[in-house]
Amino acid sequence: MPSLLGVFEAPEPVADAATRLKNRGFSEMEIYSPAAFEVLDDVLDEKPSRVRIYTLIGGLLGVVTGYTLTIWMANDWPIMIGGKPFSSIPIYTVIAFELTILFGGLATLIGLLVVGKLPYGSFGKTDEAYSARFSGEEFGLVVECSDRDVAEVDALLRSHDAKEVSLVGA
Amino acid sequence: MAPPPAMPVADAMRPALPDGDSQANRDLLRVMEKPSLGYFGLLGITLLAMHVAGALWALMVYLGLGVAGYTHPIFWGAYIVTFVFWVGIAHAGTLISAILFLFRAKWRNAINRGAEAMTVFAVLTAAQFLGIHVGRMWKSYFILPYPNQRGLWVNFKSPLMWDTFAISTYATISIVFFYIGLVPDLAIARDRATGWRKVLYTALALGWQGTSRQWKSHSRSVLHLSGLATPLVLSVHSVVSWDFAMSIVPGWHATIFAPYFVAGAIFSGFAMVLTVMIPVRRIYGLERYITDYHFENMARFILLTSLIVGYAYAIEYFVAWYSAVEPEQTSFWLRAFGPYWISTWTMIICNAVIPQLLWFKKIRTHIPSLFVISTFVNIGMWFERYVIIISGLSREYDPAVWGVYTPTWVELAIVAGSFGFFATLFLIFLKLFPVIAISEIKELEIHAKAHGAGAGS
Amino acid sequence: MSELDRRDFLKLVGVGAGSAAAAGCSDHVEKLIPYVVQPEEITPGNAVFYASTCAECPASCGLHVRTREGRPVKLEGNPDHPINRGRLCARGQSGIGRTYHPDRLQRPQKRGASGELEDTTWEEAIALVAAEIAKAPQKTQVLGGQTGPTRGQLIDDFVGAVGAGGRTVYEPFAQEALREAARAVFGIETVPHFDLSGADLVLDFGSDFLESGPSPTEHAGQLADARAVDTHDDGGARVIAVSPRLSMTVSNADEWLSARAGTEGILALALARVAIENGAGDDSHRALLGGLLADFDAASAAKKTDVPAESIERVGRALAKAKSAVALPPGVALSSRRAIDTTGAVLVLNHVIGAVGSRVQVPPASAGAQPSYRETLALIQAMDAGNVSVLLLHDANPAYSIPGTAGFRDALEKVGLVVAFASLPDETTALADVVIPTHSALESWDDAQPRPGVRSIAQPTLRPLYDTRSFGDALLDIGRAVSPAASGALPTGSWRNVLEAAWADTDWTAALARGGVFTDAPAGEPTALSADVARLEVVEPKFTGSGSHTLIAFPHGFLYDGRGANLPWLQEIPDNVTKVAWASWAEISPATAESLGVEHGDVIGVETSAGRLELTAVVRGGLRDDVVAVPQGQGHTVGWWASRADEGAPGEARGVNVLDALPAGVDERGGRAWLTEKAALSNTGRSRRIPTQQTHDNQRGRQIAESISLVALAEAAHGDGHGDGHGGGHGDGHGEAHEIREPFDPADDAHADSEYRWGLGVDLDRCTGCSACVAACYVENNVPVVGETESLRVRQMAWLRIERYIGDGEPELRAGRERMGPNTESVGDTDVRHAVMMCQQCGSAPCESVCPVIATYHSEDGLNGMIYNRCIGTRYCANNCPYKVRRFNYFDNQITKWPEPMRLGLNPDVTVRGQGVMEKCTYCVQRIAEARQVAKNENRSIRDGEVVTACQQACPTQAITFGNLRDPESAVSKQAENKRGYHALHVLNTRPGTTYLAQVDRGEVEG
Amino acid sequence: MARFRPSLSQIWTVALAIPAAGFLLLAGPGDRAAASGDTLRAGSVCEAQELKALKADDPHLEIEIPAEFDKQFPSLSACRSHEAAWDPEAPGPKQPIPFSHAHHAGEFEIECMYCHSGTDRSPSAGVPSVELCMGCHSAFGPEYDELEGIRILKKHWEDSEPIPWVQVHRLPEHVQFQHQRHVQAGFDCQECHGSVEDMDKLYLVPDTKWWQYGLPTKKLEMGWCIMCHRENEASQDCLTCHY
């Protein structure tokens, strides 16, 4: 099946066009954007990003590790130090806190890679539709459609002032 | 969608840029082009400083720490001072990227990349001083809680242990932060690079294409990381300050230390950003992106933190007097009028007095004076740590062992070398990665273009 | 056992040597070297003690030499010995260094054609000397220091056998003036000795009896017992010191009369007069009022001595009232040209107050050759006249210790053959033609008789390290080689046989085991004043030189007459008063400094009629304005540590030799005098830093070294033990006893089910600040000596130091914090606190909680453990230690600072610390471990007093107690309960295991 | 040996092994036998002992033993252990004397503490003095001089020179080990030193314990000591061993 690539100047038209197409039942779409724009975030998928789950789990893991590590190690071979108790929670909180951040941060990175499907593609290759202009200032909207819908989609894209529409991978 | 048959990026690019590239790309990628002779000259100097220091360090490990100026009772010297100094420097980056991000302060976009880079490099520099400082460097792995045949663990009650965790966490997080922010720009560079750079950027860009899914998870990650990094920034220098506050040394043992040090860190961090970014902007003509407006905001921050630091100085003396604890009083009296009076007054003038000039908009917006002031602040902040650490130790509880410490040339050379190390990394960074977050700049520009001018810079 | 066995069993073994390698294990192959013949009493790994005698000074204290695998590792006091009663001073502790000294003469040497000393064989050396003697026996002379009776007899026999010209005994600090004075006053030529035990008033006319006196360790012990407040409710003995400068001895006095230097005799007679007028003495003494004491009324004496008349009156009355007072004659520092008369005056005073016969023992006339400076000078004349062809030198360093103006060196040129017997090189051996290497004191047999009734024996405790012979054997060999006749006239057998023969009247083995034969001294029969007393001319001495200041050349507390200068510890341990090490200095008063326009550390010129010195000025208030004081003992040009050879500058003098500014110095009766010069001071405009361990003597009311008045002590004893809690510790001593105790029991701070909580007690009232404990700690714990350069950076490694504070430091606090007065002494003020500072083994130790790797921690029995091999050297612990008792190895001191064979003397029980690790005191944990082994072998717990720490063992005044705080009966527990008890810097609540007992302020003596 | 840290002496041992092995091959009895046709001829007392043993197994064997070699001592076991103690193939460092613990402690069942006499009353076990060795060996006849080890021993005795034994069980200097404690607590020497009585050539018998978190600790390493101390509820206070 062919894919149509519309090239735009601004994010909002892309968003509108994509929304319209979605309502028309076109599901296979992809948006290329040179920068982050909130209007584009939820166009293709409304669900909130799952990265936060990773962050949460990482953080919890960190705080638990922090306390267990310190308390276990201090009691594994109990040695009197400065007349302080072996399991001194307030002191170990510092460690627990740092580990919370550390684990949370690393988990977030993992989250980004998993959720964002990175690294993407095979080395040195990109999508057929992708081109360096999209890392310039232009936006791209790729729609996969059956041959008979090409005209309609094309019209719709142009109606959302796409400055050019081309056929990809025919 | 089933991804269509892939084709080489090069082919995809040929039709790509009919009428050149976006100006942001062109301007900012130009910075990374072939270095000038001056660049190499500077790099040579920094490399020299760095290697001299390295050699001296090796010598010191071989001969013993005696080559430094330590004496009884002053067991901590220029190395710890410089360690704290660099940790402080490291605070600007994350602060700008994380806290200002959360506050949605748009002006941060121009400087956050450079600041983040400085953060990473400063932490790396600081971390080395822990190794330089200890007496048996070759055994310093004892400090890690790794399972060993002795069945021994470490002492989590020691502030130095907290340090170990805080610094390593901070290093990791700031690197992650730095890298995540870098990915879209790496993609930009990749699409325009050739030769080994193309290979490098292709590898680092992780196949970034700026799809909405990528952008979505990207901005979410940055958001969460900011959320994590904000308390981290505050904690790291608090922990460092507890190295002193948790001890019983007069002049160290103060509850005000954590906020005092954090403020100082931000203070010095912003100053360092100015000291570095002003020349960078000048040399690479980035006035379009880093405007006086940015520098003025930084100056405002410096002014604010300078006030906090100055307040801390004052309150320290007040508490010492109010406490009626004789050792405390003596310690602080001698800070100002004892053997270390020069350092003390340098610190007060550089950190509390000179920045007051920033009250005047004329000076705030006058770049050369900003540069001078920020340099003074850097000097002053080094001396602040010097005063706190050295003068505190030199006048402790037992007058019979009061002593005086002066750094030896070895110590000073190694300290200088740390600046060389830092500068080297930054110079390489200039040529390898975009010094300004291009995609974030675009975000503003495209936004502005769509809705006419007026939105931020 | 026979000589041969002894050699074999003392063969060095390597079993223990392993422990002399640095912490942090090395991987080289270790050899196990067993004995060839293992003696029954030796078990490798266990220590064996041998009784012997200390050879460091004429006091001849008894030793217990602790040996491991046949190597002496520590010298300790012999408890059975009547002189030191088990104690040993810093000099004695350091004596071990002479055996393992890098300078050791290893084989005979003779001056070769090149004019340099070259190695030679024993046969050749002996033949050479014998031949020279045989040529002209009459022109053979023996010159040497004081020796034990048997060795002295042997020398006399030798002189007789070979028909030598004669023998001269030269002992720099011999009490010749005292002997002469005794003849003048009692008509007996003998050296009276003084016994302070049971005294209630000690009047010291500048004898410095606690540091460089005739028998410091003995006198310190006696004094401490005589004024122990726990046994004397009235505070026990009072000490009044007469001296122009605040010496260590003066700092232990209750009252200080800073008389003009040299006028002590006048003061003594004036006091005698007042005493008699107030009922002291008998008719014979009252007779003196008209004669000897006629014109010594308080008023005129006050004028001459610069001591207020009322003080003279008051002290005089006190003397009259006192039941058992004693007066000590001037020592070296104050031996003026009138030394004999001055000393005589003091003896008269003693007679008046009835001390003679009890506190002042006058033994029968001493037999044998006596030290004589006059004869020495005569010998120099003879040498100069070319009447000496062979000169045998032993046990003395005249080339250094006789002032250059006496011309000894020049005279030596004119002697045909100069033969020096020595185990270590010095200025004299450097000038010798033949050097006969003798055993060190620890390698050879000897004996000593410090006083009638005390016969002390010295036995070898290790196999000779080098090809040396004992002095006795060497002398016998030479004598026998001179001629058959001589050989026949000499005693047969080896030196050891000679010694045994001399001891034939005793139970030899018992004597060996006990360290000698000790009988009660024959009670000196009541001695009457001789008629000659009237002939004493007690007047102000004459001074040469035109200078404004009187030069006082006082003996250095450790270097003595200079013989200590080559021992590393004695150089490194700072002077007890100025805390200066590794250097010479000139003490001047602030007024003098002001007039010269110099400050502490500036170099000043000291010019006398005999020469000019340049010295770093030490400005102190505890000094008369009209004197400049310079220590003796430095300025050597030979010796690893004595000269600056250890700093890579061999032949370069360390410090200056004050004798270069003194004339040959004879007093009116030919004795030796040091106090003869007026010095002109000048400002050189230069300044030179000298290693100073303590720069501030003002404790700013921080309650480190506390004092308590008798009144307050009495209150505390009857009070409820709770007082107003306000800090500061006022000088008048009201209620410290309450506020210096905080509500915690040190015994708590150990593992719940541990039987022990080790604790230490330091009685500041007993402590004299003599530094014996410091030296003991150095030797016991393998503490490295870092040398002058490192000391300048205050990097000494001393685990235990003595801090010296003047009063509570209150006035300075009131005067305002800016006044940092590094020195707050003042003339007449004796409120000096000597605080022994070592690790306090805190219950809640600040150092422990900050160490990231648990290298320091709290042990189960309450010690603050330091695990060297775990330490990574963050030095955080040292920062956080309020007592600053942790020391850091900035370099690999153990490798760089111990030249071979010093390492042989290291204590194998104590790990040697490597580069980059922290170290500190752990209450001699190795001794605790040793005791624990014994206790466990016998399946019991460690008894009180079974563990004796090195410092405790050494302390001449028993100021230190150690034991188990969990045993309520232990001495240390009792001490912790003492009303004077307090903890240093208690406001920090570190819960120390060390309890200090406050010094007692006894106030002025009441007349 | 892999289980040893290669020290200089061990490197030498290996280096010496090859020529030594070759020498033994040439000098071995089998070779002599070949030289003298079908009758095996002994070249030394020890070979004689070997041949007698062979003969005992197989009576048909033709052996010839010159009178000077036909002696009762040194015994076969003495010969064998003497050779084994210097066997370059065997683990452990080469000692200055081919002393066999198996022969003395094993075969003759001499108490360990007869020679290592300090063990039960001092921190260090102690190595027997030359005198102690001679105490027995001087009683044996000159025929024992057949063995090189005996000759070396006697030489040391005559020059009254101690024997430089190579240490096999070595703790770092910062560890203060108390032999007496452990002996009196009733531990067998074998617990740490292995079955010495079976060793001709002494070596460090490898042993490994495992911490609960699955980390190995090798013999004479700190963890190895500590785990034993824990099992036996002995002190685990740092200052017990480190001071």
Side-chain angles (χ1 to χ4, degrees), chain A residues 16-170:
Chain A
D16 301 346
T19 329
R20 290 280 293 284
L21 288 163
K22 221 149 125 219
N23 302 343
R24 295 278 192 87
F26 295 97
S27 55
E28 300 302 333
M29 286 187 285
E30 185 60 280
I31 296 176
Y32 299 110
S33 155
F37 292 98
E38 289 179 14
V39 283
L40 300 176
D41 281 352
D42 301 337
V43 173
L44 297 187
D45 120 48
E46 298 78 358
K47 293 195 303 303
S49 167
R50 273 177 288 107
V51 175
R52 52 186 184 174
I53 311 288
Y54 287 82
T55 313
L56 178 67
I57 292 173
L60 292 176
L61 206 63
V63 67
V64 173
T65 321
Y67 281 117
T68 46
L69 188 81
T70 47
I71 293 174
W72 176 71
M73 284 184 180
N75 291 280
D76 177 45
W77 187 341
I79 293 177
M80 280 190 285
I81 290 167
K84 293 182 168 61
F86 296 126
S87 317
S88 25
I89 303 301
I91 289 180
Y92 298 158
T93 305
V94 179
I95 306 290
F97 173 81
E98 298 297 341
L99 287 188
T100 314
I101 305 288
L102 182 61
F103 285 34
L106 293 174
T108 313
L109 177 62
I110 296 167
L112 166 64
L113 298 181
V114 174
V115 178
K117 293 224 173 66
L118 292 170
Y120 176 81
S122 54
F123 189 85
K125 302 270 194 289
T126 54
D127 295 353
E128 192 180 355
Y130 178 79
S131 72
R133 63 201 301 180
F134 300 132
S135 62
E137 274 179 331
E138 294 163 319
F139 298 74
L141 174 56
V142 182
V143 192
E144 186 181 342
C145 57
S146 57
D147 297 343
R148 68 172 190 287
D149 297 333
V150 169
E152 175 193 0
V153 174
D154 176 76
L156 187 142
L157 288 175
R158 293 185 188 281
S159 71
H160 286 85
D161 46 24
K163 65 185 200 182
E164 63 176 88
V165 179
S166 54
L167 198 55
V168 189

Side-chain angles (χ1 to χ4, degrees), chain B residues 61 63-66 68 70-73 75-76 133 135-136 155 158 243 247-248 326 396-398 400 402, chain C residues 700 702 793-795 801 803 805 850-852 869 871-876 879-880 884 886 890-891 915:
Chain B
V61 170
L63 289 178
L65 280 178
Y70 298 111
T71 169
H72 200 77
F75 294 90
W76 283 4
H133 163 80
R136 295 207 297 170
N155 176 15
S158 164
D243 284 348
S247 80
I248 63 173
E326 190 274 328
E396 271 201 61
Y397 291 102
D398 189 348
W402 280 359
Chain C
R700 319 179 64 79
R702 292 181 182 182
R793 289 203 153 139
V794 203
R795 288 178 184 170
R801 65 173 181 270
E803 300 181 345
Y805 288 116
V850 297
C851 174
N869 40 304
C871 177
I872 61 173
T874 66
R875 309 191 290 293
Y876 200 169
N879 281 348
N880 217 27
K884 286 284 166 284
R886 291 175 157 269
Y890 290 101
F891 292 110
Q915 169 187 331

Side-chain angles (χ1 to χ4, degrees), chain C residues 74-368:
Chain C
K74 178 84 166 53
L75 302 185
E76 306 196 333
N78 174 356
D80 296 341
H81 203 284
I83 300 279
N84 58 326
R85 296 181 303 170
R87 310 299 162 172
L88 199 59
C89 72
R91 273 183 274 147
Q93 297 280 351
S94 310
I96 193 170
R98 296 202 188 277
T99 299
Y100 301 116
H101 204 289
D103 286 349
R104 277 298 294 277
L105 295 163
Q106 307 188 3
R107 58 194 63 76
Q109 290 176 312
K110 74 176 202 308
R111 199 160 298 276
S114 63
E116 293 301 308
L117 282 171
E118 298 164 354
D119 290 353
T120 175
T121 65
W122 273 102
E123 294 65 27
E124 194 183 350
I126 288 170
L128 178 63
V129 178
E132 277 303 312
I133 296 176
K135 274 192 210 141
Q138 272 314 313
K139 296 179 75 178
T140 301
Q141 286 283 351
V142 183
L143 174 62
Q146 223 165 355
T147 63
T150 313
R151 206 139 62 89
Q153 187 52 50
L154 180 72
I155 299 173
D156 291 339
D157 295 349
F158 173 86
V159 170
V162 304
R167 170 195 180 196
T168 312
V169 180
Y170 164 67
E171 184 71 32
F173 290 173
Q175 301 167 283
E176 294 177 46
L178 183 54
R179 200 167 72 243
E180 293 291 336
R183 180 167 53 187
V185 176
F186 306 127
I188 310 170
E189 180 165 3
T190 180
V191 179
H193 60 267
F194 298 80
D195 180 0
L196 308 186
S197 42
D200 64 356
L201 179 58
V202 178
L203 191 49
D204 172 32
F205 285 93
S207 70
D208 291 346
F209 66 101
L210 291 179
E211 36 206 317
S212 54
S215 189
T217 308
E218 178 182 22
H219 284 152
Q222 292 169 341
L223 176 65
D225 293 344
R227 65 172 180 182
V229 280
D230 304 333
T231 51
H232 303 75
D233 292 341
D234 63 348
R238 301 294 197 278
V239 180
I240 302 172
V242 181
S243 166
R245 87 181 251 279
L246 180 62
S247 70
M248 188 196 97
T249 308
V250 176
S251 73
N252 285 284
D254 302 293
E255 187 170 351
W256 171 20
L257 306 177
S258 62
R260 192 174 283 121
T263 62
E264 295 76 17
I266 298 167
L267 184 60
L269 292 188
L271 288 171
R273 187 187 167 99
V274 179
I276 295 170
E277 287 166 351
N278 288 275
D282 51 28
D283 300 347
S284 68
H285 299 121
R286 280 183 210 91
L288 291 173
L289 287 175
L292 179 64
L293 305 179
D295 42 14
F296 287 97
D297 56 286
S300 60
K303 244 187 247 75
K304 294 182 188 145
T305 61
D306 192 21
V307 174
E310 70 83 17
S311 310
I312 299 180
E313 296 283 357
R314 178 167 47 80
V315 175
R317 284 196 302 276
L319 281 167
K321 250 198 313 185
K323 288 180 190 48
S324 55
V326 60
L328 301 170
V332 170
L334 295 182
S335 305
S336 67
R337 289 206 170 85
R338 289 255 159 232
I340 293 170
D341 304 277
T342 309
T343 312
V346 174
L347 289 180
V348 169
L349 175 61
N350 271 311
H351 205 279
V352 168
I353 59 180
V356 177
S358 52
R359 268 89 61 205
V360 182
Q361 296 284 347
V362 186
S366 33

Side-chain angles (χ1 to χ4, degrees), chain C residues 52-65:
Chain C
S52 190
T53 303
C54 178
E56 286 302 305
C57 81
S60 305
C61 297
L63 291 182
H64 271 180
V65 183

